[in-house]
């Protein structure tokens, strides 16, 4: 998790952008993986752990009708969590997790069904995960996949706005562009 979190933190520092987290099944481990990275104080605004369903509405701003109709493990709920955290924490980016870690299914949703979501300056994305393994494994993979989705969305933003990407090669406006139709002069020779 450390290298995934470090990559995200490093990139957000370069972009001068901030991050917030909203977690259900991961219970704070996503935030912990982020704050383990040195230099994070410049980009991490904070996070919400909204384990109880009603707190997803009262703290993270998920519409209560959405929660009552679909329950807490839903792609639209995940998207609302990410956007709610972004807004409530005043961050450029929000990343969220919700799902069923087990050991028992929840509201007819199977163990291992997880949604990770990212909300950013140019919209958001939700990814469904169908994970195998025990409770600890499901939670650990959810953290890694949330960070991976965030890294992908930041990369997409870099492609859309290369001025924010320090690795992008920008043309030098003062450089001369060679004329492909120009004739190359013959080298001068001295005649005795």
């Amino acid at each position: 998790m450390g290298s995934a979190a470090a990559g995200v933190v490093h990139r957000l520092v370069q972009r001068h952008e901030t991050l917030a987290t909203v977690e259900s099944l991961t219970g704070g481990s996503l935030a912990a993986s982020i704050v383990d990275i040195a230099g994070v104080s410049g980009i991490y605004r904070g996070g919400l752990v909204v384990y109880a369903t009603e707190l997803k509405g009262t703290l993270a701003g998920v519409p209560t009708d959405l929660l009552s109709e679909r329950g807490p493990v839903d792609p639209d709920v995940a998207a609302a969590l990410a956007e709610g955290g972004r807004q409530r924490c005043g961050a450029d980016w929000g990343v969220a997790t919700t799902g069923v870690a087990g050991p028992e299914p929840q509201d007819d949703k199977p163990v291992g069904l997880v949604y990770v979501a990212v909300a950013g300056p140019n919209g958001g994305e939700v990814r469904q995960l169908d994970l195998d393994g025990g409770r600890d494994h499901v939670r650990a993979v959810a953290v890694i996949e949330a960070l991976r989705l965030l890294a992908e969305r930041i990369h997409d933003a870099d492609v859309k706005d290369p001025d924010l990407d320090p690795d992008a090669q920008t043309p030098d406006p003062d450089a001369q562009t060679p004329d492909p139709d120009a004739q190359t002069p013959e080298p001068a020779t001295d005649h005795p």
Side-chain angles (χ1 to χ4, degrees):
M1 284 185 250
S3 62
V8 164
V9 168
H10 176 70
R11 194 65 205 101
L12 290 175
V13 167
Q14 290 176 324
R15 290 178 61 88
H16 306 288
E17 291 177 338
T18 55
L19 174 65
T21 56
V22 181
E23 301 177 69
S24 183
L25 83 152
T26 51
S29 56
L30 176 59
S33 72
I34 291 167
V35 299
D36 277 347
I37 307 304
V40 74
S41 61
I43 63 102
Y44 187 62
R45 296 281 301 153
L48 304 169
V49 176
V50 288
Y51 212 73
T53 300
E54 69 272 10
L55 292 182
K56 292 171 177 61
T58 56
L59 293 180
V62 177
T64 53
D65 57 340
L66 177 61
L67 287 167
S68 61
E69 288 171 19
R70 303 209 198 148
V73 181
D74 178 83
D76 292 335
V77 170
L81 287 169
E83 183 59 34
R86 181 172 105 89
Q87 290 180 8
R88 300 266 166 119
C89 293
D92 297 300
W93 296 88
V95 60
T97 62
T98 188
V100 183
E104 299 297 324
Q106 176 185 338
D107 300 326
D108 298 324
K109 305 287 172 74
V111 173
L113 175 62
V114 174
Y115 294 98
V116 295
V118 170
N122 297 319
E125 184 176 345
V126 178
R127 184 166 293 162
Q128 178 178 326
L129 310 173
D130 296 297
L131 305 174
D132 293 324
R135 179 177 173 78
D136 290 343
H137 177 75
V138 168
R139 293 174 71 237
V141 173
V143 169
I144 292 166
E145 292 299 322
L147 291 167
R148 180 175 291 151
L149 180 59
L150 178 58
E152 289 171 11
R153 293 294 299 178
I154 293 168
H155 175 74
D156 291 347
D158 286 341
V159 170
K160 288 179 184 168
D161 190 358
D163 291 339
L164 292 176
D165 185 357
D167 298 326
Q169 296 294 321
T170 55
D172 180 358
D174 297 326
Q176 296 291 326
T177 305
D179 181 356
D181 297 325
Q183 301 258 337
T184 304
E186 292 294 321
T189 58
D190 291 331
H191 294 285

